Amino acid sequence: MITVSAFFKDVKKRLSSAFGDTAEGEAAARIIFEDMAGYDRKFIFINGDREVSDFVCSKVIAVVEKVEQGMPVQYAVGKARFMGKDFVVSPAVLIPRRETEGLVDIIVEENSSTKDLRILDIGTGTGCIALSLARILPFSRVSAIDISAEALAVARDNAKLQGLDVVFSQCDILQASYTSAPSFDIIVSNPPYVAESEKKEMDSRVYDYEPASALFVPDSEPLIYYRAIAHYARKALLPGGKLYFEINSAYPRQMRQLLEREGFEHVDIVRDYRGLYRYVKAVQP
């Protein structure tokens, strides 16, 4: 048998070696211990001398081995934290990231005093943006679309687990045309935006496991999704409606030009917590 403290130290050492970084290894170890064994930081501190059962050891080690083989820890445990909530994740969807929390924060800050908002999330993936907005903004009516049926199944699972009512539907935004009367107050999207040439700079845990269709765009058309969404939003947003994007920090000037050419007003580029240009917001005339 092994104690909680000794087991945690052993797992942290293994994962630190796998990541080549002690802090990242410890963070992964804490995620695994909490999700697989229910051992959070406080529990480990208070119960360090407690023996760990063979059952718990086997559960934790099975996940550790997956991470050592290159799988992102969120896929290995089957969940990721976003805006204070756990979201189911699988290789069918991108893992929610801190940068995207910043996008939600901007939308909430600017719209929290408005009730009965109609919101559309394009390329919803896990549903993390749509569900967070449905939870935080008062009386909002949220819809979300994605091209992937597998991703929509994950999003619907998350909606069920969180007890939220979001309408999910399958749609390819590159082929979509909006023919109804304008009906949305907010359209938001975190579409694929990593240029193929940037792949070599990425961690293999990202490009080997996360869905390429949700990550990459051709070098020849890095703004292909933004152009399609902006065109769609011009027809779908009500007058004064707002468009919000997460963007590739390499293209802020091009994003401003694209949106202004489409006819949007008050185009604003916002930096993320690292100081990178990460978000764009614009207003429908």
Side-chain angles (χ1 to χ4, degrees), residues 13-167:
K13 182 179 179 181
R14 288 177 62 169
L15 293 175
S16 295
S17 176
F19 285 108
D21 181 273
T22 301
E24 195 169 358
E26 179 172 352
R30 293 199 181 281
I31 289 171
I32 293 170
F33 267 63
E34 184 163 357
D35 288 344
M36 292 294 101
Y39 297 172
D40 62 12
R41 186 186 296 267
K42 182 179 179 181
F43 181 95
I44 294 169
F45 179 76
I46 294 174
N47 298 279
D49 294 332
R50 179 175 172 174
E51 290 186 340
V52 183
S53 69
D54 290 341
F55 174 71
V56 169
C57 279
S58 64
K59 282 180 66 179
V60 170
I61 292 302
V63 173
V64 170
E65 289 174 347
K66 290 179 181 179
V67 176
E68 286 179 319
Q69 292 163 12
M71 180 180 287
V73 64
Q74 293 89 347
Y75 288 156
V77 301
K79 67 176 77 169
R81 198 78 171 165
F82 185 85
M83 300 296 294
K85 295 289 184 180
D86 284 332
F87 284 79
V88 173
V89 296
S90 79
V93 294
L94 290 184
I95 297 166
R97 286 168 167 79
R98 183 179 173 187
E99 289 84 355
T100 307
E101 291 187 338
L103 179 63
V104 173
D105 284 337
I106 290 169
I107 297 171
V108 170
E109 182 179 350
E110 294 187 351
N111 299 278
S112 59
S113 62
T114 306
K115 295 183 178 181
D116 299 318
L117 291 166
R118 291 198 62 184
I119 302 170
L120 174 64
D121 175 27
I122 297 176
T124 197
T126 58
C128 63
I129 294 174
L131 292 168
S132 296
L133 293 175
R135 175 168 55 87
I136 300 170
L137 291 177
F139 308 108
S140 55
R141 290 170 288 171
V142 184
S143 302
I145 61 175
D146 202 288
I147 190 174
S148 167
E150 293 81 6
L152 289 168
V154 172
R156 290 187 179 105
D157 284 345
N158 282 318
K160 184 176 181 180
L161 288 170
Q162 295 186 27
L164 293 168
D165 183 17
V166 171
V167 178

